Amino acid sequence: MNEVILVDEKDAEIGVSEKLKAHQLGLLHRAFSIFIFNSNNELLIQQRAQGKYHSGGLWTNTCCSHPIPKMDLVKYAKQRLFEEMGMKVDDLQIKNHFLYRA
């Protein structure tokens, strides 16, 4: 089962939920988005798989996912970037935080 970390609007952890349930119910949870730029400041984007239960087939940022409870965010983000895009990066940094509902 894939779990996501539920948070309040100040990003304080308030529990965990199964990922699909959190998405279906619109529960606020942590996620991350990775944006990889080349030396010309061009953004690497990818097309989501058609079979995704939401936003299938749409173009999106380089990589996105949900941190795993009790795992270091940057370490897991690097792991997901490698799994999705085959890329290894040394200097992955948290640059911004934002709150959104979709």
Side-chain angles (χ1 to χ4, degrees):
M1 173 169 68
N2 292 328
E3 292 184 323
V4 294
I5 303 165
L6 299 177
V7 295
D8 65 18
E9 292 196 4
K10 295 185 185 225
D11 196 37
E13 292 184 24
I14 59 172
V16 295
S17 174
E18 195 277 319
K19 180 175 76 170
L20 182 57
K21 179 181 175 184
H23 284 173
Q24 290 172 332
L25 297 177
L27 303 176
L28 191 59
H29 59 279
R30 284 196 187 134
F32 60 83
S33 295
I34 300 173
F35 298 85
I36 301 290
F37 294 89
N38 66 14
S39 59
N40 292 322
N41 209 31
E42 297 168 321
L43 173 62
L44 175 62
I45 60 174
Q46 67 166 309
Q47 189 173 22
R48 291 177 59 87
Q50 291 290 339
K52 290 278 189 175
Y53 63 88
H54 71 82
S55 305
L58 296 182
W59 288 92
T60 187
N61 56 320
T62 311
C63 175
C64 56
S65 190
H66 302 84
I68 293 177
K70 299 184 172 89
M71 185 169 185
D72 178 75
L73 173 62
V74 173
K75 180 179 178 182
Y76 186 64
K78 286 180 179 182
Q79 178 182 324
R80 291 297 299 139
L81 182 61
F82 182 74
E83 290 168 356
E84 284 200 26
M85 303 298 289
M87 299 175 73
K88 290 184 179 181
V89 296
D90 294 323
D91 188 28
L92 192 61
Q93 302 170 13
I94 297 172
K95 291 289 194 175
N96 206 344
H97 292 88
F98 56 91
L99 175 69
Y100 77 96
R101 294 188 190 273

Short mmCIF file of all heavy atoms in Angstrom, two decimals, residues 60-85:
data_model
loop_
_atom_site.label_atom_id
_atom_site.label_comp_id
_atom_site.label_asym_id
_atom_site.label_seq_id
_atom_site.Cartn_x
_atom_site.Cartn_y
_atom_site.Cartn_z
N THR A 60 4.08 17.30 -17.79
CA THR A 60 4.32 17.76 -16.43
C THR A 60 5.81 18.03 -16.20
O THR A 60 6.63 17.84 -17.10
CB THR A 60 3.76 16.73 -15.42
OG1 THR A 60 3.86 17.25 -14.10
CG2 THR A 60 4.51 15.42 -15.50
N ASN A 61 6.12 18.43 -14.99
CA ASN A 61 7.50 18.70 -14.60
C ASN A 61 8.37 17.45 -14.75
O ASN A 61 7.88 16.38 -15.12
CB ASN A 61 7.53 19.22 -13.16
CG ASN A 61 6.85 18.26 -12.21
OD1 ASN A 61 5.83 17.68 -12.52
ND2 ASN A 61 7.42 18.07 -11.06
N THR A 62 9.63 17.56 -14.44
CA THR A 62 10.56 16.46 -14.64
C THR A 62 10.17 15.21 -13.87
O THR A 62 10.20 14.10 -14.39
CB THR A 62 11.99 16.88 -14.26
OG1 THR A 62 12.30 18.13 -14.89
CG2 THR A 62 13.01 15.84 -14.69
N CYS A 63 9.78 15.37 -12.62
CA CYS A 63 9.43 14.24 -11.76
C CYS A 63 8.63 14.74 -10.57
O CYS A 63 8.93 15.81 -10.05
CB CYS A 63 10.71 13.54 -11.28
SG CYS A 63 10.47 12.19 -10.10
N CYS A 64 7.65 13.98 -10.16
CA CYS A 64 6.93 14.33 -8.93
C CYS A 64 6.48 13.04 -8.24
O CYS A 64 6.34 12.00 -8.88
CB CYS A 64 5.76 15.25 -9.20
SG CYS A 64 4.57 14.64 -10.38
N SER A 65 6.30 13.15 -6.94
CA SER A 65 5.88 11.99 -6.17
C SER A 65 5.49 12.46 -4.78
O SER A 65 5.28 13.65 -4.55
CB SER A 65 7.02 10.96 -6.10
OG SER A 65 6.55 9.74 -5.54
N HIS A 66 5.41 11.52 -3.88
CA HIS A 66 5.05 11.79 -2.49
C HIS A 66 6.14 11.20 -1.59
O HIS A 66 6.51 10.04 -1.77
CB HIS A 66 3.73 11.12 -2.14
CG HIS A 66 2.61 11.55 -3.02
ND1 HIS A 66 2.37 10.99 -4.25
CD2 HIS A 66 1.67 12.51 -2.86
CE1 HIS A 66 1.33 11.58 -4.79
NE2 HIS A 66 0.89 12.51 -3.98
N PRO A 67 6.64 11.99 -0.62
CA PRO A 67 7.63 11.43 0.29
C PRO A 67 7.05 10.28 1.10
O PRO A 67 5.86 10.26 1.40
CB PRO A 67 8.02 12.60 1.18
CG PRO A 67 6.97 13.63 1.02
CD PRO A 67 6.28 13.36 -0.28
N ILE A 68 7.91 9.34 1.42
CA ILE A 68 7.51 8.19 2.22
C ILE A 68 7.64 8.56 3.70
O ILE A 68 8.64 9.17 4.10
CB ILE A 68 8.43 6.99 1.89
CG1 ILE A 68 8.17 6.53 0.46
CG2 ILE A 68 8.20 5.85 2.86
CD1 ILE A 68 9.07 5.41 0.02
N PRO A 69 6.65 8.18 4.50
CA PRO A 69 6.78 8.45 5.94
C PRO A 69 8.10 7.93 6.50
O PRO A 69 8.55 6.84 6.16
CB PRO A 69 5.59 7.70 6.55
CG PRO A 69 4.57 7.65 5.44
CD PRO A 69 5.39 7.51 4.18
N LYS A 70 8.74 8.74 7.30
CA LYS A 70 9.99 8.42 8.01
C LYS A 70 11.20 8.26 7.09
O LYS A 70 12.20 7.68 7.47
CB LYS A 70 9.81 7.19 8.89
CG LYS A 70 8.76 7.36 9.97
CD LYS A 70 8.69 6.15 10.86
CE LYS A 70 7.80 6.41 12.03
NZ LYS A 70 6.43 6.13 11.92
N MET A 71 11.15 8.78 5.87
CA MET A 71 12.31 8.72 4.98
C MET A 71 12.72 10.14 4.62
O MET A 71 11.88 11.01 4.43
CB MET A 71 12.01 7.94 3.70
CG MET A 71 13.22 7.76 2.82
SD MET A 71 12.89 6.58 1.50
CE MET A 71 14.49 6.48 0.75
N ASP A 72 14.03 10.37 4.52
CA ASP A 72 14.56 11.68 4.16
C ASP A 72 14.02 12.11 2.80
O ASP A 72 14.11 11.37 1.82
CB ASP A 72 16.08 11.62 4.14
CG ASP A 72 16.70 12.93 3.73
OD1 ASP A 72 16.71 13.86 4.56
OD2 ASP A 72 17.13 13.04 2.56
N LEU A 73 13.46 13.32 2.75
CA LEU A 73 12.81 13.82 1.53
C LEU A 73 13.78 13.89 0.35
O LEU A 73 13.48 13.40 -0.73
CB LEU A 73 12.20 15.20 1.79
CG LEU A 73 11.64 15.92 0.55
CD1 LEU A 73 10.52 15.14 -0.08
CD2 LEU A 73 11.19 17.31 0.92
N VAL A 74 14.95 14.51 0.53
CA VAL A 74 15.88 14.68 -0.58
C VAL A 74 16.39 13.31 -1.06
O VAL A 74 16.47 13.06 -2.27
CB VAL A 74 17.04 15.62 -0.21
CG1 VAL A 74 18.09 15.66 -1.31
CG2 VAL A 74 16.52 17.03 0.07
N LYS A 75 16.68 12.42 -0.13
CA LYS A 75 17.14 11.07 -0.51
C LYS A 75 16.08 10.35 -1.34
O LYS A 75 16.37 9.76 -2.38
CB LYS A 75 17.48 10.26 0.74
CG LYS A 75 17.96 8.87 0.45
CD LYS A 75 18.29 8.13 1.73
CE LYS A 75 18.73 6.72 1.43
NZ LYS A 75 19.02 5.95 2.64
N TYR A 76 14.82 10.44 -0.90
CA TYR A 76 13.75 9.77 -1.64
C TYR A 76 13.50 10.45 -2.99
O TYR A 76 13.24 9.78 -3.99
CB TYR A 76 12.46 9.71 -0.83
CG TYR A 76 11.39 8.90 -1.52
CD1 TYR A 76 11.58 7.54 -1.76
CD2 TYR A 76 10.24 9.50 -1.98
CE1 TYR A 76 10.62 6.79 -2.43
CE2 TYR A 76 9.27 8.76 -2.65
CZ TYR A 76 9.46 7.42 -2.87
OH TYR A 76 8.52 6.67 -3.54
N ALA A 77 13.57 11.78 -3.03
CA ALA A 77 13.38 12.49 -4.31
C ALA A 77 14.45 12.07 -5.32
O ALA A 77 14.14 11.87 -6.50
CB ALA A 77 13.41 13.99 -4.07
N LYS A 78 15.68 11.92 -4.87
CA LYS A 78 16.75 11.45 -5.77
C LYS A 78 16.44 10.05 -6.28
O LYS A 78 16.64 9.74 -7.45
CB LYS A 78 18.09 11.45 -5.04
CG LYS A 78 18.68 12.81 -4.83
CD LYS A 78 20.02 12.68 -4.11
CE LYS A 78 20.67 14.01 -3.90
NZ LYS A 78 22.00 13.87 -3.24
N GLN A 79 15.94 9.20 -5.39
CA GLN A 79 15.59 7.83 -5.76
C GLN A 79 14.48 7.83 -6.81
O GLN A 79 14.57 7.12 -7.82
CB GLN A 79 15.14 7.06 -4.52
CG GLN A 79 14.69 5.64 -4.79
CD GLN A 79 14.22 4.96 -3.52
OE1 GLN A 79 14.75 5.16 -2.43
NE2 GLN A 79 13.19 4.15 -3.64
N ARG A 80 13.43 8.63 -6.61
CA ARG A 80 12.33 8.69 -7.57
C ARG A 80 12.78 9.27 -8.92
O ARG A 80 12.35 8.80 -9.97
CB ARG A 80 11.17 9.53 -7.01
CG ARG A 80 10.45 8.87 -5.86
CD ARG A 80 9.77 7.56 -6.25
NE ARG A 80 8.77 7.81 -7.27
CZ ARG A 80 8.56 7.02 -8.32
NH1 ARG A 80 9.27 5.93 -8.51
NH2 ARG A 80 7.64 7.33 -9.21
N LEU A 81 13.66 10.27 -8.88
CA LEU A 81 14.18 10.84 -10.12
C LEU A 81 14.91 9.77 -10.92
O LEU A 81 14.77 9.68 -12.13
CB LEU A 81 15.09 12.03 -9.82
CG LEU A 81 15.66 12.76 -11.02
CD1 LEU A 81 14.56 13.36 -11.89
CD2 LEU A 81 16.61 13.85 -10.56
N PHE A 82 15.68 8.94 -10.25
CA PHE A 82 16.39 7.86 -10.95
C PHE A 82 15.40 6.83 -11.48
O PHE A 82 15.51 6.37 -12.62
CB PHE A 82 17.42 7.20 -10.04
CG PHE A 82 18.19 6.13 -10.75
CD1 PHE A 82 19.17 6.46 -11.68
CD2 PHE A 82 17.93 4.79 -10.52
CE1 PHE A 82 19.88 5.47 -12.36
CE2 PHE A 82 18.62 3.80 -11.20
CZ PHE A 82 19.59 4.15 -12.12
N GLU A 83 14.41 6.45 -10.67
CA GLU A 83 13.43 5.45 -11.10
C GLU A 83 12.61 5.94 -12.30
O GLU A 83 12.34 5.17 -13.22
CB GLU A 83 12.48 5.11 -9.95
CG GLU A 83 13.14 4.34 -8.83
CD GLU A 83 12.29 4.24 -7.57
OE1 GLU A 83 11.20 4.84 -7.51
OE2 GLU A 83 12.74 3.56 -6.63
N GLU A 84 12.21 7.19 -12.29
CA GLU A 84 11.34 7.70 -13.36
C GLU A 84 12.10 8.15 -14.60
O GLU A 84 11.63 7.98 -15.71
CB GLU A 84 10.50 8.88 -12.85
CG GLU A 84 9.35 8.44 -11.98
CD GLU A 84 8.26 9.48 -11.88
OE1 GLU A 84 8.10 10.31 -12.79
OE2 GLU A 84 7.56 9.45 -10.87
N MET A 85 13.27 8.77 -14.39
CA MET A 85 13.96 9.40 -15.50
C MET A 85 15.35 8.83 -15.77
O MET A 85 16.00 9.24 -16.73
CB MET A 85 14.09 10.91 -15.26
CG MET A 85 12.75 11.62 -15.04
SD MET A 85 11.63 11.51 -16.45
CE MET A 85 12.45 12.61 -17.59
#
